Amino acid sequence: MGRHKDNAAADTRGVAGKLTSALALHQKGDLTKAEVLYKEILTAQPRHFDALQMLATIAAHRKDNADAVVLFEQALRTRPDHVGVLNDLGNALQAQGKMEEALQSYGRALDIQPDFVDALVNRGNAWRRLQRVEDALASYERALQVSPDHAEVLNNRGVALLALGRPQEALASYQKAWRAKPDYAEAHWNEALCQLLLGDFTQGWKNYEWRWKRKLNQDKLRNFSQPLWLGKEPLQGKTILLHAEQGLGDTLQFCRYAKQVAALGARVVLEVQPALKTLLQGLEGVSLVLGRGERLPDFDYHCPLLSLPLAFKVDLGNISGAPYLHSEPKKRAQWQERLGASTQPRIGLVWSGSTGHQNDHNRSLGLQQITPLISDDAQYYCLQKELRPDDRAALANTPGLTFLGDSFEDFSDTAAVVELMDLVITVDTSVAHLAGAMGKEVWLLLAYSPDWRWLLGRSDSPWYGSARLFRQSAPGDWERQRQHPPKSRRQ
């Protein structure tokens, strides 16, 4: 009996020693070695709380969220009232898209500790993803009662306020966030977006440069040895690389400034997404267009496309809404032959964009939501290259709508078809920018809280003279835009 107690004590000491070593390795960032020791601990003591919790944390760090959920739940069987694990379990569930289950886990934590700021914030984030923005805001406000200068909470509160159409309050919240944490890039970035939305371009473009310090943008930062040009250095006789950095629509909107760069005496090399290379070959001011990934020539300076407005001090008074893109005549003739003679007005439709867009849940529609626009007095064409599975199935049962996207090789095809339309109706996608840049009549359906470039309270756009903006009157409400079938100017 005494020997058994001695062995048990030795095992306990061994586990304690392994845990100390594992935690030290974990703290140093050597997760692989720490993981081995945690698993050895569990071999000896399968219900060891700390080992289970730390293994779950490692799994979550590696984004193995399914494994993290299992391990957090095992840990909770040992200590069901541990608020930290309940919060972490909620985060792992949220990362899997299991919002309701995540909310239950946060709720259990807050029942035990009502002032637990992390759980309040994470619950707010989950509610925001479920479009329950008022609930999200209330959760953030409660967290700020506990921790008034919590920078991350202030930033998230700003995001919720902006989604509710309260931009001035959102701006104040972002500014309070970075005052509490001066190097907080996310708050500076959100401040910039809010300033641009409100038309304060002077401060907005300056703060927009904070995008490079955001964690999400670290992999997009180009570490060229050549200096960044932001409008100060003379370019006469120099070669400058202008490079795309964000989405297709951003490239289409801001490639317009290549002409102004060339006017400074520079040879302009433009690097863009491969899908835009052919379309932009004829862009005025550009000497060479390359697809991303192609070998770059020698150059003296570089500038990301979305830094050009800062370089040129762009404001609402000096934006030109004149067309600057055109379709290729040969490709346009090929599509004209394919579509045949037009006996009715042709209307192009785009109802959804990339699912990877962070605001896609607000900007995109389903096919069934846009079918009320289709009438017998026009020919309708879907201008999207990609269709979501539900929409592809529904398209077969939508008479009067022709899908062309399977035949689009790149944006030069899209541009040729847009040229043949009398009107383009689209949500906030790259096709909206393409149509506007071509001077094609385009009707743009905007979410209640729109992207910054569309400003507020306007039915027109300074960026595109041919654009007409239709705004939601309330979050998620597209009914007003769908009440009557559209009529183009030709009709």
Side-chain angles (χ1 to χ4, degrees):
M1 186 71 174
R3 183 177 298 174
H4 178 74
K5 287 183 178 180
D6 290 344
N7 290 339
D11 287 344
T12 300
R13 288 194 298 273
V15 166
K18 282 184 179 179
L19 180 62
T20 299
S21 298
L23 292 173
L25 289 166
H26 198 146
Q27 189 173 15
K28 290 178 182 178
D30 193 343
L31 301 186
T32 301
K33 290 182 180 178
E35 183 179 28
V36 170
L37 291 177
Y38 291 139
K39 287 180 177 179
E40 289 179 5
I41 292 170
L42 291 176
T43 299
Q45 297 183 19
R47 291 172 57 84
H48 194 286
F49 174 81
D50 291 317
L52 288 166
Q53 182 187 22
M54 292 299 102
L55 275 176
T57 301
I58 290 174
H61 175 79
R62 292 173 176 165
K63 302 191 185 306
D64 297 328
N65 292 297
D67 290 343
V69 166
V70 171
L71 289 162
F72 281 133
E73 288 176 339
Q74 289 177 358
L76 286 169
R77 292 189 190 105
T78 301
R79 294 178 61 180
D81 294 337
H82 194 286
V83 293
V85 173
L86 286 166
N87 178 65
D88 291 340
L89 172 60
N91 292 342
L93 289 164
Q94 187 170 174
Q96 290 182 292
K98 298 178 179 179
M99 295 299 144
E100 296 296 345
E101 293 177 53
L103 285 169
Q104 290 176 11
S105 195
Y106 299 137
R108 286 170 59 193
L110 290 167
D111 286 342
I112 299 165
Q113 186 176 325
D115 291 342
F116 186 17
V117 171
D118 287 352
L120 287 166
V121 175
N122 292 324
R123 182 181 66 175
N125 295 343
W127 269 334
R128 205 172 78 231
R129 289 180 65 183
L130 287 170
Q131 305 305 300
R132 293 172 56 180
V133 185
E134 293 279 7
D135 288 331
L137 180 59
S139 200
Y140 298 143
E141 297 282 16
R142 177 70 189 111
L144 289 171
Q145 290 175 7
V146 181
S147 183
D149 295 322
H150 195 300
E152 286 76 11
V153 185
L154 287 162
N155 178 68
N156 289 4
R157 175 178 177 269
V159 173
L161 287 165
L162 189 60
L164 292 169
R166 297 158 64 180
Q168 294 287 359
E169 294 173 76
L171 183 61
S173 200
Y174 297 140
Q175 291 170 341
K176 189 173 180 181
W178 64 252
R179 289 191 185 104
K181 186 178 177 182
D183 62 346
Y184 188 19
E186 201 68 27
H188 285 288
W189 157 256
N190 283 326
E191 178 190 24
L193 298 181
C194 210
Q195 288 167 331
L196 293 171
L197 178 69
L198 291 166
D200 181 4
F201 284 11
T202 301
Q203 292 302 316
W205 297 129
K206 292 178 183 176
N207 287 324
Y208 200 74
E209 293 300 300
W210 275 92
R211 67 193 184 278
W212 301 117
K213 296 185 179 181
R214 299 173 69 217
K215 289 182 180 179
L216 289 175
N217 274 5
Q218 292 304 303
D219 60 339
K220 298 177 184 177
L221 182 62
R222 307 289 288 275
N223 293 313
F224 294 121
S225 59
Q226 296 88 337
L228 171 68
W229 183 80
L230 290 178
K232 295 181 181 179
E233 297 82 0
L235 293 180
Q236 184 67 43
K238 303 294 184 180
T239 296
I240 184 170
L241 171 68
L242 306 181
H243 48 96
E245 54 169 289
Q246 298 185 34
L248 295 165
D250 299 284
T251 302
L252 291 168
Q253 181 177 2
F254 293 102
C255 69
R256 70 178 72 202
Y257 290 109
K259 178 182 177 181
Q260 284 183 236
V261 177
L264 297 175
R267 176 177 181 263
V268 176
V269 177
L270 178 63
E271 183 199 51
V272 299
Q273 298 91 333
L276 295 176
K277 178 181 175 180
T278 302
L279 171 66
L280 298 181
Q281 290 293 339
L283 182 65
E284 188 174 356
V286 176
S287 298
L288 176 65
V289 180
L290 298 172
R292 185 181 293 153
E294 294 186 63
R295 182 181 177 86
L296 296 172
D298 293 337
F299 57 93
D300 302 294
Y301 294 98
H302 78 96
C303 184
L305 284 178
L306 276 85
S307 291
L308 290 173
L310 174 63
F312 287 117
K313 297 181 173 56
V314 172
D315 60 35
L316 290 175
N318 60 23
I319 299 173
S320 171
Y324 53 92
L325 292 182
H326 310 279
S327 63
E328 198 272 317
K330 183 178 179 181
K331 186 151 282 190
R332 186 169 65 248
Q334 291 171 346
W335 276 102
Q336 176 64 73
E337 182 178 358
R338 174 170 175 170
L339 296 186
S342 174
T343 58
Q344 292 178 302
R346 290 177 171 144
I347 298 178
L349 299 178
V350 177
W351 58 85
S352 64
S354 169
T355 55
H357 192 283
Q358 64 178 3
N359 199 39
D360 186 64
H361 58 278
N362 283 326
R363 66 167 184 163
S364 288
L365 297 167
L367 173 57
Q368 293 181 341
Q369 290 178 280
I370 207 166
T371 49
L373 294 177
I374 298 173
S375 63
D376 294 333
D377 55 2
Q379 295 173 296
Y380 292 84
Y381 297 90
C382 171
L383 305 185
Q384 298 174 207
K385 183 171 175 59
E386 297 178 2
L387 285 177
R388 302 178 188 193
D390 290 348
D391 287 346
R392 188 172 286 275
L395 190 63
N397 298 315
T398 307
L401 178 59
T402 302
F403 176 59
L404 303 175
D406 286 341
S407 299
F408 288 169
E409 293 182 7
D410 58 25
F411 265 75
S412 64
D413 286 296
T414 312
V417 174
V418 165
E419 193 81 71
L420 298 172
M421 297 293 108
D422 294 288
L423 169 67
V424 173
I425 302 175
T426 176
V427 293
D428 185 4
T429 68
S430 54
V431 176
H433 293 280
L434 177 62
M438 294 175 65
K440 181 61 60 176
E441 184 180 2
V442 55
W443 292 7
L444 184 55
L445 309 182
L446 292 178
Y448 182 71
S449 179
D451 191 75
W452 61 265
R453 70 203 72 218
W454 308 118
L455 302 167
L456 293 172
R458 299 179 62 143
S459 60
D460 66 335
S461 168
W463 300 103
Y464 305 113
S466 61
R468 184 176 174 189
L469 311 184
F470 294 80
R471 300 175 183 271
Q472 284 184 337
S473 56
D477 179 17
W478 294 107
E479 291 301 320
R480 186 168 62 87
Q481 287 89 341
R482 300 187 310 169
Q483 286 176 353
H484 303 287
K487 295 183 182 295
S488 74
R489 290 170 183 163
R490 176 173 163 175
Q491 290 174 279

